């Protein structure tokens, strides 16, 4: 495992004239020197105003990317907020950080061309052990929490993952994740930065922009991708005939998928079409990277991979995954002492098991449904239904309807018969695994991380008062 000093020495050796970021919307290239000078301009301005905390509520772009480097170089705590959040959610975060400067896209006006040329920054001057980043979780399982990390945490986690996946100067990464969440900050900014790679900032990912995704990748010779399962499914549909198979082989593409479970059917379909591997990984906002599938493996195992260097894991009697890492978060913004750390191990709430050094995830401990004294894991039902050709996506959860806890499956795809599905589930999983409700939707509500938004789904179910 590399030390922080080793990482900083490598960063200081990056040539200032080397291209670091490309804006795929405008075609503009930014060298390391450009980004450093831009960061210097923003950081000096913020420092002059006397701000120690900065809330950024901005869309993806080179400007937001540069703000993170400004905060790093000038020892400012940055608090990214998704512009798509409701006014109430944004207001709640601003109230917690009432002394922070709020930046919604208006940057100091001095253009890059007017900045001093040839400046070189000493990254070793940054306060690596102090709080640097507070990210608010997506809220897929409850009230969002502000997770605090130091810059040292991000750099060490990035280096451990980057080495495992062989990132380096050759890496050209497509940035499509939201820059206000950890996947868009650690995975898609600091990971390629620490490993000396390049970043291509794509347009915000949606159905319209996805139509030009592969053409953009070819134009800028992108060879590294971080995608959510939803993104992968959309791209698979768009390139139905696998026209970009030769390109992905020519650039030795590395495609990592995270933020939500990747169902085996989608993975197998994509891997068979392009004859390349898709790499799963596992991590949390509090612990950052924990595992990754090693590129040295010849086949996919539908696991989340092996433990990264520096990661320790323990499994509780009930299968809960507990981890200890050198880059553990320092707490939550609204409270000093986290209640989910025991003996330096973080209690993830995820259920899993190890097999031949590979970690497999079974679902969430809090999602377990107790019926007749029997624990039912919704993930088991989801995996079985996902294997059916006529179901595109599904999410299984418990919801109180008509005064009773019910097992509900929301799905997309062709119309299904609940009695036939329950017969299948009872035969393969047991008599306790029966659905009370089967609801066909046009799409599964998700948050920006690509995870099923269970609180939103439960609220929708209550409002519609579905009947079996």
């Amino acid at each position: 495992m590399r030390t922080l000093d080793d990482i900083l020495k490598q960063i200081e050796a990056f040539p200032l004239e080397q291209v670091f970021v490309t804006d795929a919307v405008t075609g503009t290239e930014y060298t390391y020197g450009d980004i450093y000078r831009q960061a210097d301009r923003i950081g000096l301005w913020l420092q002059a105003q006397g701000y120690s905390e900065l809330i950024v509520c901005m869309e993806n772009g080179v400007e937001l990317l540069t703000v993170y480097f400004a905060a790093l170089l000038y020892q400012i705590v940055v608090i990214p907020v998704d512009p798509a959040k409701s006014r109430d959610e944004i207001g709640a975060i601003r109230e917690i950080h009432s002394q922070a400067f709020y930046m919604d896209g208006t940057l100091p006006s001095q253009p890059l061309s007017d900045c001093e040329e040839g400046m070189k920054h000493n990254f070793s001057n940054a306060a690596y052990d102090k709080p640097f980043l507070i990210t608010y979780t997506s809220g897929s399982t409850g009230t969002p929490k502000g997770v605090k990390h130091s810059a040292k945490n991000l750099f060490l986690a990035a280096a451990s993952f980057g080495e495992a996946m062989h990132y380096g100067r050759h890496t050209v990464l497509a940035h499509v994740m939201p820059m206000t969440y950890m996947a868009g900050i650690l995975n898609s900014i600091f990971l390629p930065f620490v490993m000396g790679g390049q970043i291509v900032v794509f347009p915000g990912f949606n159905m319209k922009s996805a139509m030009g995704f592969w053409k953009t990748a070819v134009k800028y010779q992108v060879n590294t991708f971080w995608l959510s399962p939803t993104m992968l499914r959309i791209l698979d549909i768009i390139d139905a005939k696998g026209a970009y198979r030769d390109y992905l082989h020519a650039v030795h593409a590395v495609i990592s998928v995270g933020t939500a479970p990747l169902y085996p059917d989608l993975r197998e379909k994509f891997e068979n079409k392009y004859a390349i591997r898709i790499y799963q990984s596992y991590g949390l906002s509090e612990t950052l990277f924990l595992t990754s599938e090693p590129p040295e493996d010849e086949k996919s195992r539908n696991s989340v991979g092996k433990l990264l260097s520096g990661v320790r894991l323990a499994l509780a009697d009930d299968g809960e995954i507990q981890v200890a890492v050198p880059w553990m978060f320092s707490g939550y913004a609204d409270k000093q002492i986290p209640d989910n750390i025991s003996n330096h191990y973080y209690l993830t709430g995820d259920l899993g098991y190890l097999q031949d050094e590979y970690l497999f995830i079974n679902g969430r401990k809090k999602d377990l449904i107790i019926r007749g004294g029997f624990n039912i894991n919704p993930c088991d039902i989801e995996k079985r239904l996902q294997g059916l050709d006529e179901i595109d996506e599904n999410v299984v959860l418990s919801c109180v309807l008509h005064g009773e806890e019910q097992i509900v499956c929301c799905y997309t795809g062709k119309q299904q018969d609940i009695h036939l599905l329950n017969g299948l589930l009872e035969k393969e999983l047991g008599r306790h695994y029966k659905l009370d409700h089967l609801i066909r939707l046009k799409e599964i509500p998700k948050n920006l991380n690509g995870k099923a938004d269970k609180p939103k789904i439960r609220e929708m179910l209550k409002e519609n008062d579905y009947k079996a």
Side-chain angles (χ1 to χ4, degrees):
M1 178 178 163
R2 291 165 64 191
T3 66
L4 180 62
D5 287 342
D6 293 335
I7 296 169
L8 296 178
K9 287 178 182 177
Q10 177 176 318
I11 291 172
E12 289 295 331
F14 294 161
L16 292 179
E17 65 277 6
Q18 178 180 321
V19 174
F20 173 39
V21 181
T22 300
D23 186 336
V25 176
T26 65
T28 306
E29 293 182 339
Y30 299 87
T31 65
Y32 282 96
D34 290 333
I35 296 298
Y36 294 167
R37 287 189 292 272
Q38 181 87 316
D40 202 52
R41 174 170 66 85
I42 297 169
L44 282 171
W45 184 85
L46 288 169
Q47 190 179 65
Q49 312 308 309
Y51 294 112
S52 60
E53 284 193 345
L54 169 66
I55 298 175
V56 286
C57 187
M58 298 168 60
E59 300 289 350
N60 276 24
V62 178
E63 292 83 3
L64 177 52
L65 178 149
T66 309
V67 166
Y68 290 116
F69 287 94
L72 174 64
L73 291 167
Y74 283 86
Q75 302 182 23
I76 296 169
V77 179
V78 61
I79 305 150
V81 177
D82 174 20
K85 285 184 179 292
S86 70
R87 182 179 298 180
D88 289 344
E89 287 180 291
I90 295 174
I93 294 172
R94 293 188 68 176
E95 186 174 344
I96 294 172
H97 305 279
S98 58
Q99 302 302 309
F101 178 70
Y102 182 73
M103 182 181 287
D104 61 0
T106 304
L107 300 180
S109 59
Q110 184 183 5
L112 262 177
S113 58
D114 291 345
C115 295
E116 181 182 347
E117 295 293 331
M119 295 180 66
K120 185 178 178 70
H121 297 275
N122 183 0
F123 277 85
S124 61
N125 289 336
Y128 284 94
D129 288 315
K130 294 182 179 180
F132 162 62
L133 182 70
I134 301 177
T135 54
Y136 278 82
T137 59
S138 59
S140 61
T141 57
T143 304
K145 297 174 290 188
V147 180
K148 298 192 292 186
H149 277 288
S150 66
K152 180 179 180 180
N153 285 358
L154 270 65
F155 278 38
L156 290 179
S160 184
F161 185 93
E163 288 183 339
M165 293 300 295
H166 308 310
Y167 281 35
R169 296 285 290 273
H170 63 280
T171 297
V172 182
L173 182 139
H175 197 311
V176 293
M177 292 291 187
M179 286 187 182
T180 50
Y181 290 106
M182 192 59 78
I185 302 169
L186 172 61
N187 306 25
S188 309
I189 296 177
F190 286 104
L191 172 55
F193 173 67
V194 164
M195 301 306 296
Q198 296 182 40
I199 301 169
V200 179
V201 181
F202 276 48
F205 193 93
N206 52 45
M207 285 299 297
K208 183 179 179 180
S209 67
M211 298 300 294
F213 181 91
W214 291 118
K215 289 183 179 179
T216 302
V218 173
K219 180 178 180 179
Y220 295 104
Q221 291 295 286
V222 172
N223 57 26
T224 307
F225 304 84
W226 263 101
L227 303 169
S228 70
T230 300
M231 292 175 179
L232 193 72
R233 188 177 295 278
I234 291 172
L235 295 175
D236 173 62
I237 293 171
I238 288 172
D239 185 27
K241 296 183 179 180
Y244 293 92
R245 173 172 172 159
D246 290 344
Y247 168 74
L248 293 175
H249 279 264
V251 298
H252 304 289
V254 175
I255 302 178
S256 293
V257 175
T259 74
L262 175 61
Y263 289 114
D265 66 322
L266 174 59
R267 178 178 197 162
E268 291 168 9
K269 182 181 179 182
F270 198 94
E271 290 185 337
N272 290 337
K273 177 190 289 187
Y274 295 103
I276 61 172
R277 288 280 310 283
I278 295 176
Y279 301 99
Q280 287 199 88
S281 59
Y282 173 56
L284 303 166
S285 296
E286 290 86 349
T287 64
L288 307 180
F289 291 126
L290 294 170
T291 72
S292 181
E293 291 186 278
E296 294 78 14
D297 269 10
E298 295 182 358
K299 64 177 182 179
S300 298
R301 300 169 183 258
N302 290 318
S303 76
V304 294
K306 293 183 176 181
L307 300 182
L308 297 176
S309 175
V311 178
R312 290 177 292 153
L313 180 143
L315 293 174
D317 292 340
D318 61 1
E320 182 180 14
I321 298 168
Q322 304 177 0
V323 293
V325 292
W327 45 83
M328 186 75 74
F329 78 123
S330 57
Y332 296 113
D334 57 346
K335 57 183 178 181
Q336 294 297 318
I337 303 175
D339 56 7
N340 46 6
I341 292 182
S342 176
N343 296 323
H344 305 292
Y345 277 79
Y346 178 76
L347 313 183
T348 67
D350 290 324
L351 302 173
Y353 62 94
L354 283 170
Q355 182 176 313
D356 299 328
E357 298 184 29
Y358 286 81
L359 180 63
F360 293 80
I361 306 295
N362 274 345
R364 293 284 296 170
K365 183 176 180 178
K366 67 190 306 180
D367 287 341
L368 289 177
I369 303 167
I370 302 176
R371 172 174 281 179
F374 187 85
N375 286 347
I376 299 169
N377 190 337
C379 189
D380 293 336
I381 302 176
E382 291 174 355
K383 289 178 179 178
R384 183 60 193 92
L385 296 182
Q386 200 60 42
L388 301 177
D389 292 337
E390 296 182 337
I391 292 182
D392 295 330
E393 291 184 278
N394 81 96
V395 58
V396 176
L397 67 162
S398 65
C399 184
V400 177
L401 298 174
H402 317 301
E404 295 182 7
E405 185 176 32
Q406 311 264 328
I407 300 178
V408 182
C409 174
C410 296
Y411 73 99
T412 60
K414 295 184 179 180
Q415 189 71 42
Q416 301 292 314
D417 186 317
I418 189 171
H419 301 293
L420 293 178
L421 293 185
N422 275 338
L424 174 69
L425 294 172
E426 184 176 3
K427 179 180 179 181
E428 299 194 12
L429 299 178
R431 62 185 178 88
H432 297 283
Y433 285 82
K434 285 187 177 182
L435 302 173
D436 297 308
H437 296 264
L438 181 65
I439 301 168
R440 185 186 180 198
L441 301 174
K442 290 183 178 180
E443 61 179 1
I444 303 293
K446 295 185 177 73
N447 57 45
L448 286 178
N449 277 345
K451 297 178 182 178
D453 193 333
K454 292 186 177 181
K456 185 174 182 178
I457 295 172
R458 286 191 176 95
E459 191 63 32
M460 178 188 71
L461 295 175
K462 290 178 182 178
E463 289 177 358
N464 285 276
D465 193 25
Y466 285 96
K467 296 180 180 179

